Amino acid sequence: MGAFVARDEELRTTLAAVVARRGTAIVGPPGVGRTALLSAVARRLTTSRFEVVWTAATQASRQVPFGAFRSVLGACDRLDDHQAYGALHTELFRRAGARIPVLVIDDAHRLDDRGAALALGLAAEGVVRLMVAARSQSACPADPPVSDAVVALWKDGYLERLDLAAFGRVGTQQLIRSLAGGPVAQATVDCLHQWTGGNPLLLTELVRHARVSRHLVAEGGLWRWRGPLTVPPRLAELFDHELNRLSPADHDTLAAVALGEPLPLPSWKPSPPASPDASKTWRAKGCCTPSTGRGASSWCAWGSRCWAPPCVGACPAAATPTGRRTP
Ligand SMILES: Nc1ncnc2c1ncn2[C@@H]1O[C@H](COP(=O)(O)OP(=O)(O)OP(=O)(O)O)[C@@H](O)[C@H]1O
Ligand SMILES: [Mg+2]
């Protein structure tokens, strides 16, 4: 990873919550920089005082009881809740010795219920510091529900919740400057900010790809964007992964909307066998969103609360085979 930029305030409050209180829960939409912030805080915790143990939950670990803590506990799926809590507690303090144990749980929205209850138990006991990162549920309505115990971590006041937002123009400028290695023309900053919504993941992938493809060039001492805005292959792959969660019928409909959008509402008919109330379901899944920007109601593909920027809207269109684009 390159330099960590534009999060001074967030870094300060998060670090203070871990050093002086029970810890922090960093919540935000995909790609907003939760993992990067966790790492930045962990790097700043003095090793003579704190022992950091890093875990991350995944879709696969969610299928196994306490799956996210396997790296700490070893095979633990046969333990009962009490034994698992004791084993985790003992192992964290064994590793810490005379220091304070800090348990990092990245992607905690994917914790299984029993694993989440362990985290809540630790937060309530308050002797292990916790640093938790989770996707905000409201930003990702299509994701499986987050365990109640994860929500209770901040709702019941154990951890201090920090809502991480995308970069504004200043943060965008700092990130591009850091990735490009020099000052950037303001028009380029404005354009990339609009295209990515200030999302650090989108910005990082876009700028890295643009350096290689020479869409970002140094002219007169400033980095400037030259050429069309496109979707880097690595981002297209990432969104393919998200699109794979759709049924074939929904996939086809999304491709149609992506190629034709914005479509007037009356002309938008889900392809069979999509259900009659597919438009409602789609909105709930975050795949489409009604837009009234151009005088008439229309559907903008993938313009969701989850991944709102135009850059992402271009993904389904880019992923649709060219042959299907000709009438
Ligand atoms: N403050 C920052 N400074 C520099 N780079 C950053 C910053 N925040 C995020 N990034 C970069 O943006 C990209 C996405 O960040 P990160 O993986 O932390 O996001 P996330 O919210 O954890 O995403 P996900 O939803 O995939 O878990 C990474 O390449 C990361 O290095
Ligand atoms: Mg992450």
Side-chain angles (χ1 to χ4, degrees):
M1 182 187 145
F4 183 76
V5 301
R7 294 287 197 205
D8 292 352
E9 186 57 34
E10 291 87 346
L11 197 51
R12 225 183 345 266
T13 50
T14 311
L15 196 56
V18 178
V19 170
R21 294 178 287 279
R22 294 177 193 223
T24 183
I26 301 163
V27 180
V32 77
R34 297 181 313 272
T35 304
L37 180 56
L38 284 179
S39 309
V41 175
R43 282 197 299 273
R44 280 162 183 78
L45 291 169
T46 42
T47 49
S48 57
R49 195 167 161 219
F50 296 99
E51 165 70 8
V52 178
V53 174
W54 190 289
T55 63
T58 61
Q59 273 175 38
S61 75
R62 191 176 198 170
Q63 313 307 318
V64 183
F66 319 116
F69 303 119
R70 246 186 122 86
S71 57
V72 186
L73 293 175
C76 50
D77 46 329
R78 287 171 193 275
L79 301 179
D80 67 27
D81 294 359
H82 185 70
Q83 288 168 329
Y85 187 81
L88 183 60
H89 201 274
T90 305
E91 180 59 14
L92 291 174
F93 277 95
R94 187 193 68 74
R95 292 188 190 191
R99 294 168 299 164
I100 300 171
V102 179
L103 178 63
V104 179
I105 311 173
D106 197 7
D107 291 332
H109 56 284
R110 298 199 179 112
L111 279 176
D112 67 292
D113 283 340
R114 294 172 69 194
L118 284 196
L120 183 59
L122 288 175
E125 191 184 0
V127 285
V128 171
R129 308 285 163 89
L130 283 175
M131 284 167 54
V132 170
R135 277 190 183 184
S136 44
Q137 187 98 62
S138 61
C140 300
D143 283 359
V146 176
S147 175
D148 287 358
V150 171
V151 177
L153 287 171
W154 59 83
K155 188 166 73 59
D156 294 349
Y158 298 118
L159 304 185
E160 287 181 27
R161 173 172 166 151
L162 174 82
D163 287 284
L164 205 56
F167 288 140
R169 279 195 161 66
V170 174
T172 298
Q173 184 267 335
Q174 289 178 21
L175 182 58
I176 303 172
R177 184 191 171 114
S178 159
L179 292 166
V184 187
Q186 189 58 44
T188 297
V189 172
D190 292 345
C191 173
L192 295 192
H193 182 258
Q194 198 271 332
W195 183 240
T196 62
N199 180 290
L201 173 67
L202 302 181
L203 280 166
T204 301
E205 293 297 335
L206 204 60
V207 170
R208 285 199 178 134
H209 184 252
R211 291 288 310 273
V212 177
S213 62
R214 301 195 157 274
H215 282 106
L216 199 59
V217 291
E219 288 173 358
L222 289 177
W223 288 95
R224 292 178 201 277
W225 192 276
R226 290 284 175 241
L229 283 164
T230 53
V231 181
R234 273 169 49 142
L235 271 187
E237 249 175 56
L238 199 79
F239 291 109
D240 257 4
H241 182 71
E242 302 270 342
L243 294 176
N244 284 341
R245 297 191 300 180
L246 300 176
S247 71
D250 281 351
H251 203 285
D252 271 5
T253 310
L254 178 60
V257 178
L259 294 176
E261 63 97 14
L263 295 178
L265 274 175
S267 76
W268 187 75
K269 291 200 182 63
S271 59
S275 59
D277 63 349
S279 68
K280 212 188 285 169
T281 319
W282 270 50
R283 213 187 307 184
K285 284 179 182 173
C287 298
C288 284
T289 193
S291 146
T292 51
R294 298 186 201 180
S297 289
S298 56
W299 284 91
C300 294
W302 212 261
S304 66
R305 278 174 294 166
C306 190
W307 285 109
C311 170
V312 180
C315 283
T320 304
T322 328
R324 295 175 61 189
R325 295 185 205 184
T326 45

